[in-house]
Amino acid sequence: MRFRLVDNIWDELKRYTVDDNYILITDDNIYRLYKDDIDRLLCVRNNILLIKPGEESKNLENVVKIYDKLVEKNIDRNGFILSLGGGMIGDLAGFAASTYKRGINYVQIPTTLLAQVDSSIGGKTAVNYGGYKNLIGTFYFPVETIIDIRFLKTLSKRDFISGLGEVVKYGIIADYEFFKYIKENLNGIFDKEDNILRYIVGKSVEIKSSIVEKDKFDLNIRHNLNFGHTVGHSIESHFNYEMYYHGEAVILGMLVELKIAYLKGLIGNEYFEEIRALLLSLIESYKFNEDEIDGLIKIMKNDKKNIDRKIAFVLPVGKGKVDTFFDIEEKTIKDAFLTYYRE
Protein backbone atom coordinates (compact mmCIF):
# COMPACT_ATOMS: atom_id res chain seq x y z
CA MET A 1 0.00 0.00 0.00
CA ARG A 2 1.73 3.13 -1.26
CA PHE A 3 0.80 6.78 -0.89
CA ARG A 4 2.61 10.01 -1.69
CA LEU A 5 2.02 13.68 -0.93
CA VAL A 6 3.12 15.66 -3.98
CA ASP A 7 3.44 19.32 -5.01
CA ASN A 8 2.23 19.05 -8.63
CA ILE A 9 -0.22 16.27 -9.36
CA TRP A 10 -0.26 16.87 -13.13
CA ASP A 11 3.48 16.28 -13.48
CA GLU A 12 3.18 13.11 -11.39
CA LEU A 13 0.42 11.70 -13.61
CA LYS A 14 2.31 12.13 -16.89
CA ARG A 15 4.04 8.77 -16.55
CA TYR A 16 0.67 7.02 -16.53
CA THR A 17 -0.50 8.73 -19.74
CA VAL A 18 2.53 8.17 -21.98
CA ASP A 19 0.75 5.57 -24.09
CA ASP A 20 -2.94 4.97 -24.73
CA ASN A 21 -3.49 2.11 -22.26
CA TYR A 22 -5.51 3.99 -19.63
CA ILE A 23 -8.71 5.84 -18.91
CA LEU A 24 -9.26 8.72 -16.49
CA ILE A 25 -12.49 8.77 -14.51
CA THR A 26 -13.66 11.97 -12.87
CA ASP A 27 -16.85 13.93 -12.24
CA ASP A 28 -18.29 16.97 -13.99
CA ASN A 29 -17.33 19.34 -11.16
CA ILE A 30 -13.67 18.32 -11.12
CA TYR A 31 -13.46 18.55 -14.90
CA ARG A 32 -14.96 22.04 -14.85
CA LEU A 33 -12.45 23.21 -12.21
CA TYR A 34 -9.36 21.62 -13.76
CA LYS A 35 -10.30 21.34 -17.44
CA ASP A 36 -7.12 22.92 -18.83
CA ASP A 37 -4.85 20.73 -16.68
CA ILE A 38 -6.79 17.57 -17.53
CA ASP A 39 -6.89 18.34 -21.27
CA ARG A 40 -3.14 18.94 -21.32
CA LEU A 41 -2.59 15.69 -19.47
CA LEU A 42 -4.69 13.69 -21.92
CA CYS A 43 -3.15 15.35 -25.00
CA VAL A 44 -6.60 15.60 -26.65
CA ARG A 45 -7.09 11.84 -26.43
CA ASN A 46 -10.61 10.62 -25.70
CA ASN A 47 -9.49 8.75 -22.60
CA ILE A 48 -11.83 10.40 -20.13
CA LEU A 49 -15.15 9.31 -18.62
CA LEU A 50 -17.24 11.88 -16.75
CA ILE A 51 -19.61 10.78 -13.99
CA LYS A 52 -22.41 12.93 -12.56
CA PRO A 53 -21.43 14.12 -9.05
CA GLY A 54 -23.25 12.80 -5.99
CA GLU A 55 -23.67 9.63 -3.94
CA GLU A 56 -26.58 8.54 -6.13
CA SER A 57 -24.07 7.96 -8.96
CA LYS A 58 -22.32 5.18 -7.02
CA ASN A 59 -24.28 2.42 -8.73
CA LEU A 60 -23.89 -0.55 -11.04
CA GLU A 61 -25.16 1.43 -14.02
CA ASN A 62 -22.08 3.64 -13.86
CA VAL A 63 -19.83 0.62 -13.36
CA VAL A 64 -21.16 -0.69 -16.68
CA LYS A 65 -20.32 2.67 -18.28
CA ILE A 66 -16.75 2.26 -17.05
CA TYR A 67 -16.60 -1.26 -18.48
CA ASP A 68 -17.89 0.06 -21.80
CA LYS A 69 -15.19 2.75 -21.88
CA LEU A 70 -12.48 0.20 -21.04
CA VAL A 71 -13.66 -2.04 -23.87
CA GLU A 72 -13.96 0.90 -26.29
CA LYS A 73 -10.34 1.88 -25.57
CA ASN A 74 -9.20 -1.76 -25.64
CA ILE A 75 -7.51 -1.45 -22.25
CA ASP A 76 -5.54 -4.61 -21.50
CA ARG A 77 -4.58 -6.13 -18.15
CA ASN A 78 -1.47 -3.94 -17.97
CA GLY A 79 -3.55 -0.81 -18.39
CA PHE A 80 -4.62 1.73 -15.78
CA ILE A 81 -7.69 3.42 -14.44
CA LEU A 82 -6.86 6.86 -13.05
CA SER A 83 -9.43 7.83 -10.43
CA LEU A 84 -9.57 11.61 -10.02
CA GLY A 85 -12.19 12.76 -7.54
CA GLY A 86 -13.80 12.21 -4.19
CA GLY A 87 -14.92 9.03 -2.50
CA MET A 88 -17.71 8.23 -4.95
CA ILE A 89 -15.34 8.31 -7.92
CA GLY A 90 -12.71 6.32 -6.03
CA ASP A 91 -15.19 3.62 -5.03
CA LEU A 92 -16.59 3.29 -8.56
CA ALA A 93 -13.20 3.25 -10.24
CA GLY A 94 -11.74 0.80 -7.73
CA PHE A 95 -14.67 -1.60 -8.05
CA ALA A 96 -14.47 -1.52 -11.85
CA ALA A 97 -10.69 -2.02 -11.74
CA SER A 98 -11.02 -4.99 -9.40
CA THR A 99 -13.48 -6.80 -11.66
CA TYR A 100 -12.52 -5.88 -15.25
CA LYS A 101 -10.49 -8.74 -16.74
CA ARG A 102 -10.22 -10.07 -13.16
CA GLY A 103 -8.30 -7.01 -12.09
CA ILE A 104 -6.31 -4.19 -13.68
CA ASN A 105 -4.17 -1.43 -12.19
CA TYR A 106 -5.69 1.72 -10.80
CA VAL A 107 -4.38 4.89 -9.18
CA GLN A 108 -6.23 6.96 -6.61
CA ILE A 109 -5.99 10.74 -6.98
CA PRO A 110 -8.31 11.99 -4.20
CA THR A 111 -9.53 15.58 -4.48
CA THR A 112 -11.53 16.01 -1.25
CA LEU A 113 -10.28 15.99 2.31
CA LEU A 114 -12.54 13.03 3.09
CA ALA A 115 -11.09 11.02 0.20
CA GLN A 116 -7.49 12.03 0.94
CA VAL A 117 -7.58 10.94 4.58
CA ASP A 118 -10.09 8.09 4.42
CA SER A 119 -11.72 6.51 1.39
CA SER A 120 -8.63 6.45 -0.85
CA ILE A 121 -6.65 4.60 1.83
CA GLY A 122 -7.41 1.01 2.67
CA GLY A 123 -8.42 -0.82 -0.50
CA LYS A 124 -12.18 -0.89 0.02
CA THR A 125 -14.26 -0.49 -3.15
CA ALA A 126 -18.03 -0.56 -3.36
CA VAL A 127 -21.27 0.52 -4.98
CA ASN A 128 -24.64 1.12 -3.38
CA TYR A 129 -27.46 -1.27 -4.23
CA GLY A 130 -31.13 -1.57 -3.34
CA GLY A 131 -30.99 1.45 -1.04
CA TYR A 132 -28.09 -0.01 0.97
CA LYS A 133 -24.76 1.81 1.19
CA ASN A 134 -21.68 -0.09 -0.08
CA LEU A 135 -23.60 -3.37 -0.30
CA ILE A 136 -21.58 -4.69 -3.25
CA GLY A 137 -17.81 -4.33 -3.08
CA THR A 138 -14.32 -5.77 -3.00
CA PHE A 139 -10.99 -5.35 -1.27
CA TYR A 140 -8.62 -4.14 -4.00
CA PHE A 141 -5.60 -1.92 -3.44
CA PRO A 142 -4.48 0.78 -5.88
CA VAL A 143 -0.98 0.84 -7.30
CA GLU A 144 -0.60 4.06 -5.36
CA THR A 145 -2.55 6.95 -3.89
CA ILE A 146 -1.20 10.36 -4.92
CA ILE A 147 -2.27 13.29 -2.74
CA ASP A 148 -2.03 16.97 -3.65
CA ILE A 149 -3.36 19.27 -0.93
CA ARG A 150 -3.91 22.05 -3.47
CA PHE A 151 -7.18 20.35 -4.38
CA LEU A 152 -8.42 21.23 -0.89
CA LYS A 153 -8.21 24.96 -1.63
CA THR A 154 -11.29 24.80 -3.87
CA LEU A 155 -13.45 22.82 -1.43
CA SER A 156 -16.53 24.42 0.09
CA LYS A 157 -16.54 24.80 3.87
CA ARG A 158 -19.15 22.05 4.11
CA ASP A 159 -17.07 19.59 2.06
CA PHE A 160 -14.00 20.49 4.09
CA ILE A 161 -15.76 19.90 7.43
CA SER A 162 -17.07 16.59 6.12
CA GLY A 163 -13.48 15.41 5.77
CA LEU A 164 -12.31 17.07 8.96
CA GLY A 165 -14.63 14.82 10.97
CA GLU A 166 -12.58 11.81 9.86
CA VAL A 167 -9.35 13.63 10.75
CA VAL A 168 -10.62 14.24 14.29
CA LYS A 169 -11.66 10.59 14.48
CA TYR A 170 -8.06 9.43 14.01
CA GLY A 171 -6.98 11.44 17.03
CA ILE A 172 -9.76 9.95 19.14
CA ILE A 173 -9.12 6.33 18.16
CA ALA A 174 -5.33 6.26 17.98
CA ASP A 175 -3.37 9.41 18.91
CA TYR A 176 -4.42 11.84 21.64
CA GLU A 177 -1.51 14.19 20.84
CA PHE A 178 -2.83 14.46 17.28
CA PHE A 179 -6.30 15.22 18.67
CA LYS A 180 -4.79 18.05 20.72
CA TYR A 181 -2.93 19.36 17.66
CA ILE A 182 -6.20 19.59 15.73
CA LYS A 183 -7.92 21.37 18.60
CA GLU A 184 -5.08 23.86 19.04
CA ASN A 185 -4.71 24.58 15.31
CA LEU A 186 -8.34 24.68 14.27
CA ASN A 187 -8.15 28.25 12.96
CA GLY A 188 -5.14 27.42 10.80
CA ILE A 189 -6.92 24.32 9.52
CA PHE A 190 -9.94 26.36 8.44
CA ASP A 191 -7.62 28.95 6.89
CA LYS A 192 -6.12 26.03 4.92
CA GLU A 193 -2.54 26.89 5.80
CA ASP A 194 -0.28 24.68 3.69
CA ASN A 195 2.00 23.38 6.43
CA ILE A 196 -0.94 22.52 8.69
CA LEU A 197 -2.90 20.82 5.90
CA ARG A 198 0.12 18.75 4.91
CA TYR A 199 0.59 17.66 8.51
CA ILE A 200 -3.02 16.68 9.26
CA VAL A 201 -3.42 14.87 5.93
CA GLY A 202 -0.09 13.07 6.25
CA LYS A 203 -0.73 12.11 9.88
CA SER A 204 -4.25 10.86 9.11
CA VAL A 205 -3.01 8.73 6.24
CA GLU A 206 -0.18 7.40 8.43
CA ILE A 207 -2.63 6.36 11.17
CA LYS A 208 -5.13 4.74 8.82
CA SER A 209 -2.53 2.94 6.71
CA SER A 210 -0.80 1.55 9.82
CA ILE A 211 -4.12 0.08 10.99
CA VAL A 212 -4.95 -1.30 7.54
CA GLU A 213 -1.51 -2.91 7.18
CA LYS A 214 -2.25 -4.94 10.33
CA ASP A 215 -5.74 -5.94 9.18
CA LYS A 216 -6.17 -5.59 5.41
CA PHE A 217 -9.47 -7.46 5.25
CA ASP A 218 -11.27 -5.84 8.18
CA LEU A 219 -11.28 -8.80 10.59
CA ASN A 220 -10.17 -7.23 13.88
CA ILE A 221 -8.22 -4.02 14.67
CA ARG A 222 -9.51 -2.26 11.55
CA HIS A 223 -12.92 -2.18 13.25
CA ASN A 224 -11.54 0.74 15.30
CA LEU A 225 -11.95 2.92 12.21
CA ASN A 226 -15.72 2.55 12.58
CA PHE A 227 -16.02 4.94 15.53
CA GLY A 228 -19.04 7.13 14.74
CA HIS A 229 -20.02 5.02 11.74
CA THR A 230 -22.66 2.75 13.29
CA VAL A 231 -24.82 5.75 14.11
CA GLY A 232 -23.49 7.81 11.19
CA HIS A 233 -24.49 5.29 8.53
CA SER A 234 -27.94 4.99 10.07
CA ILE A 235 -28.36 8.78 9.89
CA GLU A 236 -27.29 8.81 6.22
CA SER A 237 -29.72 6.03 5.40
CA HIS A 238 -32.58 7.49 7.45
CA PHE A 239 -32.40 10.75 5.49
CA ASN A 240 -31.93 8.93 2.13
CA TYR A 241 -28.39 10.34 1.78
CA GLU A 242 -29.89 13.77 1.10
CA MET A 243 -29.67 15.74 4.36
CA TYR A 244 -26.10 15.03 5.45
CA TYR A 245 -22.79 14.37 3.72
CA HIS A 246 -21.04 11.21 4.89
CA GLY A 247 -18.55 13.08 7.06
CA GLU A 248 -21.27 15.21 8.63
CA ALA A 249 -23.26 12.11 9.54
CA VAL A 250 -20.12 10.56 11.05
CA ILE A 251 -19.55 13.67 13.20
CA LEU A 252 -23.11 13.35 14.55
CA GLY A 253 -22.48 9.63 14.96
CA MET A 254 -19.33 10.29 16.98
CA LEU A 255 -21.25 12.68 19.22
CA VAL A 256 -23.94 10.09 19.95
CA GLU A 257 -21.47 7.23 20.41
CA LEU A 258 -19.31 9.46 22.60
CA LYS A 259 -22.36 10.01 24.82
CA ILE A 260 -22.96 6.25 24.96
CA ALA A 261 -19.37 5.80 26.17
CA TYR A 262 -19.92 8.46 28.84
CA LEU A 263 -23.23 6.96 29.99
CA LYS A 264 -21.54 3.54 30.25
CA GLY A 265 -18.73 4.99 32.37
CA LEU A 266 -16.05 4.19 29.78
CA ILE A 267 -14.66 7.74 29.85
CA GLY A 268 -14.75 10.54 32.40
CA ASN A 269 -16.52 13.87 32.17
CA GLU A 270 -13.39 15.93 31.36
CA TYR A 271 -12.42 13.83 28.32
CA PHE A 272 -16.07 13.58 27.22
CA GLU A 273 -16.43 17.37 27.25
CA GLU A 274 -13.08 17.87 25.49
CA ILE A 275 -14.11 15.71 22.54
CA ARG A 276 -17.69 16.93 22.55
CA ALA A 277 -16.67 20.61 22.39
CA LEU A 278 -14.45 20.04 19.34
CA LEU A 279 -17.08 18.01 17.48
CA LEU A 280 -19.83 20.54 18.21
CA SER A 281 -17.59 23.29 16.81
CA LEU A 282 -17.78 21.48 13.45
CA ILE A 283 -21.51 20.88 13.08
CA GLU A 284 -24.89 22.03 14.28
CA SER A 285 -26.51 19.32 16.38
CA TYR A 286 -29.81 17.76 15.32
CA LYS A 287 -32.56 16.99 17.82
CA PHE A 288 -33.87 13.53 16.99
CA ASN A 289 -37.42 12.75 18.11
CA GLU A 290 -38.36 9.34 19.51
CA ASP A 291 -39.88 8.07 16.26
CA GLU A 292 -36.70 8.98 14.40
CA ILE A 293 -34.58 7.26 17.04
CA ASP A 294 -36.66 4.08 16.75
CA GLY A 295 -36.12 4.18 12.98
CA LEU A 296 -32.39 4.72 13.38
CA ILE A 297 -32.06 1.80 15.80
CA LYS A 298 -33.94 -0.41 13.35
CA ILE A 299 -31.42 0.51 10.64
CA MET A 300 -28.51 -0.13 13.02
CA LYS A 301 -29.84 -3.62 13.73
CA ASN A 302 -29.09 -4.45 10.08
CA ASP A 303 -25.53 -3.07 10.16
CA LYS A 304 -23.02 -5.43 8.54
CA LYS A 305 -20.67 -5.13 11.53
CA ASN A 306 -23.17 -6.72 13.93
CA ILE A 307 -22.68 -10.17 15.45
CA ASP A 308 -25.47 -12.43 16.72
CA ARG A 309 -27.98 -9.64 16.00
CA LYS A 310 -26.24 -7.36 18.48
CA ILE A 311 -25.37 -3.84 17.35
CA ALA A 312 -21.62 -3.20 17.15
CA PHE A 313 -20.35 0.06 18.62
CA VAL A 314 -16.76 1.28 18.64
CA LEU A 315 -16.48 3.50 21.72
CA PRO A 316 -13.76 5.59 23.40
CA VAL A 317 -12.28 3.94 26.48
CA GLY A 318 -9.39 6.35 27.13
CA LYS A 319 -7.36 9.09 25.49
CA GLY A 320 -6.55 7.90 21.98
CA LYS A 321 -8.09 4.49 22.66
CA VAL A 322 -11.30 2.73 21.58
CA ASP A 323 -12.81 -0.73 21.85
CA THR A 324 -15.75 -2.60 20.32
CA PHE A 325 -18.90 -3.39 22.30
CA PHE A 326 -21.92 -5.55 21.48
CA ASP A 327 -23.81 -5.22 24.76
CA ILE A 328 -25.18 -1.68 24.68
CA GLU A 329 -28.77 -1.58 25.94
CA GLU A 330 -31.38 0.01 23.69
CA LYS A 331 -32.34 2.40 26.50
CA THR A 332 -28.76 3.71 26.65
CA ILE A 333 -28.73 4.24 22.89
CA LYS A 334 -31.99 6.20 23.09
CA ASP A 335 -30.77 8.26 26.04
CA ALA A 336 -27.61 9.15 24.11
CA PHE A 337 -29.62 10.35 21.10
CA LEU A 338 -31.88 12.44 23.31
CA THR A 339 -29.12 14.10 25.33
CA TYR A 340 -25.92 14.23 23.25
CA TYR A 341 -26.45 17.88 22.27
CA ARG A 342 -27.57 19.29 25.60
CA GLU A 343 -25.46 21.37 27.93
Side-chain angles (χ1 to χ4, degrees):
M1 186 168 56
R2 183 183 173 202
F3 66 88
R4 291 187 293 139
L5 269 70
V6 302
D7 294 321
N8 190 327
I9 191 66
W10 312 112
D11 286 345
E12 297 293 333
L13 292 177
K14 285 178 182 176
R15 60 195 176 99
Y16 290 109
T17 60
V18 172
D19 57 27
D20 207 30
N21 199 17
Y22 74 93
I23 66 168
L24 183 144
I25 302 171
T26 192
D27 67 40
D28 298 312
N29 289 341
I30 294 296
Y31 185 65
R32 186 182 71 254
L33 286 168
Y34 301 100
K35 181 179 185 302
D36 291 342
D37 294 305
I38 292 171
D39 289 348
R40 277 194 297 270
L41 179 70
L42 302 183
C43 299
V44 303
R45 293 178 181 146
N46 182 28
N47 290 57
I48 188 170
L49 177 65
L50 297 180
I51 303 291
K52 182 179 177 182
E55 183 72 12
E56 63 275 9
S57 290
K58 202 167 79 172
N59 55 50
L60 288 173
E61 180 181 347
N62 279 321
V63 174
V64 171
K65 289 181 181 178
I66 296 172
Y67 293 152
D68 289 343
K69 187 69 175 180
L70 290 164
V71 172
E72 173 197 328
K73 297 298 297 182
N74 193 28
I75 305 301
D76 63 34
R77 291 193 69 184
N78 293 318
F80 284 85
I81 291 177
L82 306 180
S83 168
L84 176 66
M88 179 273 289
I89 292 294
D91 276 355
L92 272 178
F95 182 77
S98 72
T99 49
Y100 179 74
K101 296 188 176 179
R102 296 197 178 97
I104 65 169
N105 303 303
Y106 86 109
V107 177
Q108 288 268 22
I109 310 110
T111 59
T112 66
L113 181 58
L114 183 63
Q116 289 187 357
V117 302
D118 183 40
S119 61
S120 70
I121 309 296
K124 286 185 177 180
T125 83
V127 294
N128 303 332
Y129 183 78
Y132 294 96
K133 186 178 177 72
N134 298 335
L135 187 67
I136 301 173
T138 62
F139 286 97
Y140 195 69
F141 290 85
V143 173
E144 65 175 348
T145 297
I146 312 176
I147 298 170
D148 189 336
I149 63 165
R150 291 181 305 167
F151 284 124
L152 306 182
K153 305 291 181 145
T154 60
L155 288 184
S156 68
K157 184 175 181 180
R158 188 178 179 190
D159 277 312
F160 190 74
I161 287 175
S162 184
L164 191 55
E166 291 285 355
V167 174
V168 173
K169 181 195 75 176
Y170 293 127
I172 297 170
I173 70 170
D175 190 331
Y176 178 65
E177 291 302 315
F178 183 45
F179 174 85
K180 288 200 300 183
Y181 178 89
I182 298 164
K183 184 177 68 171
E184 293 164 3
N185 291 275
L186 202 56
N187 289 336
I189 290 171
F190 279 117
D191 289 339
K192 298 180 180 177
E193 295 179 15
D194 283 357
N195 61 324
I196 294 177
L197 286 185
R198 287 184 71 87
Y199 179 74
I200 66 168
V201 170
K203 188 66 174 179
S204 296
V205 172
E206 178 187 311
I207 290 171
K208 180 165 185 180
S209 60
S210 68
I211 292 172
V212 172
E213 286 287 355
K214 297 171 186 173
D215 182 19
K216 287 187 175 181
F217 300 108
D218 204 6
L219 299 176
N220 44 73
I221 191 176
R222 189 166 174 170
H223 294 174
N224 289 354
L225 296 168
N226 291 319
F227 173 53
H229 285 63
T230 296
V231 171
H233 283 166
S234 74
I235 291 172
E236 284 184 279
S237 179
H238 177 74
F239 291 110
N240 296 314
Y241 304 98
E242 295 173 351
M243 185 165 174
Y244 290 107
Y245 291 174
H246 171 71
E248 293 174 325
V250 168
I251 294 171
L252 290 176
M254 287 192 287
L255 280 162
V256 175
E257 294 178 21
L258 176 71
K259 188 59 183 283
I260 292 173
Y262 177 69
L263 292 173
K264 295 296 291 182
L266 302 175
I267 55 174
N269 183 70
E270 183 179 351
Y271 187 47
F272 165 72
E273 291 293 352
E274 185 180 20
I275 296 175
R276 181 174 173 272
L278 179 56
L279 293 175
L280 284 174
S281 73
L282 303 181
I283 197 168
E284 183 178 348
S285 58
Y286 180 91
K287 297 183 180 181
F288 297 94
N289 62 45
E290 295 201 19
D291 286 342
E292 287 175 322
I293 295 168
D294 287 339
L296 291 163
I297 291 174
K298 183 178 180 181
I299 294 169
M300 283 186 268
K301 287 180 177 177
N302 288 310
D303 193 289
K304 62 180 177 292
K305 300 184 294 295
N306 297 345
I307 295 177
D308 296 331
R309 299 183 180 179
K310 295 179 180 178
I311 301 173
F313 286 100
V314 174
L315 304 175
V317 295
K319 293 183 176 181
K321 297 177 182 178
V322 292
D323 204 348
T324 303
F325 296 83
F326 296 93
D327 58 349
I328 306 301
E329 304 88 349
E330 195 164 308
K331 181 181 184 304
T332 302
I333 300 171
K334 289 184 176 182
D335 287 345
F337 269 105
L338 290 169
T339 62
Y340 80 93
Y341 57 87
R342 290 180 182 162
E343 296 295 334

